[in-house]
Amino acid sequence: MAHFLRVATSSLLLMITLFLSLSEAKEIIIGGKTDAWKIPSSQSDSLNKWAESSRFRIGDTLVWKYDSEKDSVLQVTREAYLSCNISNPIEEYKDGNTKVKLDRSGPFYFISGAEGHCVKGQKMIVVVLSPRHRYTDISPAPSPAESEGPAVAPTSTATSLKGSLVMLMGILIWVLF
C-alpha cells in the first residue's frame, strides 16, 4: 500500500507540474520561425493564416526577428491596418528582435514599417481572448475578409482546468489517506 501511495503521489505531482507549465504565458515567435516577418509569397503564406490557427493568451509575448536595417514592426489601429497607413503608429519597433507583451484581450494589429510592404501583405492581426472563454464555448470562425476584422480564436482553458485539477487532487488525497 505504501508503494502505491508513493507512485500515486509522484504521478499527481508530475501532472500538476506539467499542467502549470502548460498554462504559463509563453514567448511566441511570429510565424513559428525566425524569418517569418516578410512579404508573403502567397495568401496561404500570410501571417494571418498562422495567427488564426494559433492561440494567444493575456501575458504571452510575441517575438519578431528581422533585419532592423530593412524593416520594422508597427502596432497600429484597425483603420491604419486596413489602409496600411504607417504614418502614426501606436508603437514602433526597430530593433530586429521585437517583443510585444499581450497585456489585454482583444485584437492587436501589426504592419511592416517598410514602405510598400504592408500593401503587399506583410501585416498581421492577433486576437487575444479573455480567460473566461472556453474551447467548447466557441466554434472556429471562418477566415474573415480584412474589412470584417479578425477571426476570434479560442484561448486556453487554464482557469477551468486549474479548478478541476485542484478538485481532483483533493479527491485523490482524501481517497489515499
Side-chain angles (χ1 to χ4, degrees):
M1 180 70 176
H3 176 71
F4 173 75
L5 288 175
R6 280 190 298 241
V7 170
T9 303
S10 297
S11 297
L12 182 60
L13 289 173
L14 179 63
M15 286 180 8
I16 291 170
T17 302
L18 285 172
F19 173 74
L20 291 175
S21 69
L22 290 174
S23 64
E24 293 177 10
K26 296 184 170 90
E27 281 196 356
I28 302 166
I29 295 177
I30 296 303
K33 54 188 177 186
T34 58
D35 63 345
W37 189 240
K38 62 184 179 184
I39 297 171
S41 58
S42 67
Q43 183 65 21
S44 62
D45 192 30
S46 160
L47 285 174
N48 278 332
K49 293 288 183 190
W50 170 79
E52 288 171 5
S53 66
S54 301
R55 302 296 180 245
F56 303 101
R57 298 184 314 229
I58 295 172
D60 284 347
T61 300
L62 301 177
V63 180
W64 283 260
K65 300 206 181 257
Y66 56 93
D67 184 344
S68 62
E69 294 187 20
K70 296 180 182 176
D71 209 345
S72 62
V73 176
L74 306 180
Q75 183 176 349
V76 296
T77 64
R78 181 178 185 273
E79 294 74 24
Y81 173 88
L82 294 172
S83 64
C84 288
N85 183 343
I86 64 172
S87 65
N88 191 20
I90 296 169
E91 292 288 341
E92 181 175 15
Y93 307 97
K94 300 179 179 182
D95 62 356
N97 187 32
T98 297
K99 295 184 178 186
V100 175
K101 186 169 183 175
L102 302 173
D103 59 355
R104 61 171 172 78
S105 60
F108 288 78
Y109 300 92
F110 301 97
I111 63 175
S112 170
E115 192 69 40
H117 284 209
C118 177
V119 179
K120 294 177 183 173
Q122 189 177 347
K123 57 186 182 174
M124 177 180 65
I125 303 170
V126 170
V127 178
V128 180
L129 289 186
S130 63
R132 72 178 181 274
H133 289 93
R134 309 174 88 170
Y135 285 116
T136 56
D137 295 342
I138 302 170
S139 60
S143 177
E146 287 186 2
S147 62
E148 295 173 357
V152 177
T155 61
S156 166
T157 58
T159 305
S160 62
L161 286 174
K162 281 183 183 177
S164 299
L165 188 59
V166 169
M167 185 185 316
L168 176 62
M169 186 173 70
I171 291 170
L172 283 173
I173 290 172
W174 181 75
V175 167
L176 294 175
F177 297 102

